[in-house]
C-alpha cells in the first residue's frame, strides 16, 4: 500500500460528508495494515494510524461537531455522545502507545480499539453526518470540506521533504500531545 493512502489532506472529495466518509474508510484500511504487518513493522504502521486518527478526530472536533451542535435539532446531545466515544478511544490509544507494539496485549487491544473506533464512525455517519447533509447547502459542505483539508494540511501525516523540520514536531510524541498540537494550529488558523 502506498503512503498516499494515508494523506487525508490530499483527498479529492469536495463535500465534507463525502470527505469524512472517505477518511473513515482510510482509517479502516489502516487498521487492516496494522493487523497484517509483520511484528517488526507493526509499530510503524500503528504510528501512521495514530497520526491519521489525531488529525481526523481533531478536525471533526474543531470544525464539524461545533457546526452540528448549532445546525441539528438536539445537536448538543448528538455531539456530546460522539465526544464521549472519541474520549474513550483516545484513552485506549494513549495506553497502547505507552505500552508499545511489543506489549503482549497489543493485538487484543488493537481489536478493541478497532471495534470502538469503527462503531464511533458508524454513529457519526448515522446520527450526525446524514442529518448534517440534510440541514446544509452544497456550498456550506464545500466550505467545510475546504476547512477540514486546510486543517489537515497544517498537520501533514507525511511531511514533504524540505518542510519536514517545520511540520515534523506536530505529529510526534503521545497521541494526546499530537491532538493538542493539531488543535492548537487549527484554533490559531480559524481565530478561535
Ligand atoms: Fe470522530
Ligand atoms: Fe469520524
Amino acid at each position: 500500500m502506498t503512503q498516499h493512502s494515508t494523506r487525508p489532506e490530499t483527498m479529492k472529495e469536495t463535500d465534507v460528508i463525502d470527505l469524512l466518509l472517505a477518511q473513515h474508510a482510510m482509517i479502516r484500511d489502516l487498521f487492516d495494515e496494522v493487523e497484517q504487518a509483520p511484528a517488526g513493522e507493526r509499530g510503524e504502521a500503528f504510528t501512521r494510524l495514530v497520526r491519521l486518527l489525531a488529525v481526523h478526530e481533531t478536525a471533526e472536533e474543531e470544525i464539524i461537531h461545533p457546526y452540528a451542535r448549532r445546525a441539528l435539532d438536539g445537536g448538543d446531545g448528538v455531539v456530546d455522545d460522539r465526544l464521549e466515544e472519541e474520549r474513550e478511544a483516545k484513552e485506549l490509544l494513549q495506553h497502547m502507545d505507552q505500552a508499545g507494539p511489543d506489549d503482549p496485549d497489543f493485538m487484543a487491544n488493537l481489536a478493541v480499539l478497532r471495534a470502538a473506533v469503527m462503531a464511533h464512525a458508524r454513529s457519526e455517519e448515522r446520527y450526525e453526518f446524514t442529518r448534517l447533509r440534510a440541514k446544509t447547502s452544497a456550498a456550506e459542505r464545500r466550505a467545510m470540506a475546504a476547512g477540514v483539508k486546510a486543517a489537515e494540511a497544517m498537520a501533514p501525516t507525511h511531511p514533504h521533504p524540505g518542510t519536514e523540520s517545520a511540520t515534523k514536531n506536530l505529529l510526534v510524541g503521545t497521541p494526546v500531545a499530537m491532538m493538542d498540537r493539531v488543535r492548537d494550529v487549527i484554533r490559531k488558523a480559524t481565530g478561535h
Side-chain angles (χ1 to χ4, degrees):
M1 188 167 285
T2 66
Q3 290 206 327
H4 184 79
S5 65
T6 53
R7 281 183 182 155
E9 72 277 18
T10 64
M11 299 177 95
K12 64 181 190 318
E13 284 77 8
T14 54
D15 177 299
V16 75
I17 308 296
D18 295 339
L19 178 68
L20 294 172
L21 295 181
Q23 291 186 2
H24 286 173
M26 187 184 264
I27 289 166
R28 186 195 58 222
D29 289 348
L30 207 32
F31 269 107
D32 282 344
E33 271 193 66
V34 183
E35 281 175 3
Q36 290 159 16
E41 290 162 32
R42 201 174 279 154
E44 185 271 330
F46 182 66
T47 297
R48 281 190 285 130
L49 174 65
V50 173
R51 288 175 173 173
L52 177 58
L53 285 172
V55 298
H56 172 79
E57 297 299 344
T58 308
E60 284 178 341
E61 286 171 16
E62 294 299 310
I63 296 167
I64 305 308
H65 296 334
Y67 198 95
R69 264 190 208 284
R70 295 191 300 271
L72 303 183
D73 295 328
D76 279 331
V78 171
V79 169
D80 287 344
D81 288 350
R82 301 296 79 75
L83 289 176
E84 178 59 19
E85 293 159 1
E86 284 173 17
R87 192 189 60 73
E88 284 172 16
K90 277 177 211 170
E91 274 178 19
L92 181 53
L93 205 55
Q94 190 76 0
H95 167 77
M96 290 177 71
D97 183 71
Q98 264 159 20
D102 299 327
D103 180 73
D105 293 331
F106 182 86
M107 292 307 281
N109 284 332
L110 186 71
V112 174
L113 180 73
R114 180 180 188 140
V117 167
M118 296 324 294
H120 164 66
R122 279 194 301 278
S123 294
E124 283 180 335
E125 292 170 13
R126 191 170 305 161
Y127 303 116
E128 187 176 3
F129 297 171
T130 310
R131 294 172 59 198
L132 207 50
R133 204 195 287 268
K135 286 273 186 178
T136 47
S137 67
E140 284 173 308
R141 291 195 301 279
R142 265 199 308 277
M144 274 192 277
V148 168
K149 283 190 205 181
E152 291 177 338
M154 286 185 288
T157 51
H158 299 88
H160 297 292
T163 62
E164 188 99 4
S165 57
T167 52
K168 202 178 180 180
N169 290 336
L170 217 51
L171 292 176
V172 293
T174 66
V176 166
M178 284 185 204
M179 289 179 199
D180 285 347
R181 280 188 227 108
V182 175
R183 194 177 316 282
D184 221 50
V185 293
I186 295 177
R187 287 190 180 174
K188 271 187 194 130
T190 55
H192 292 144

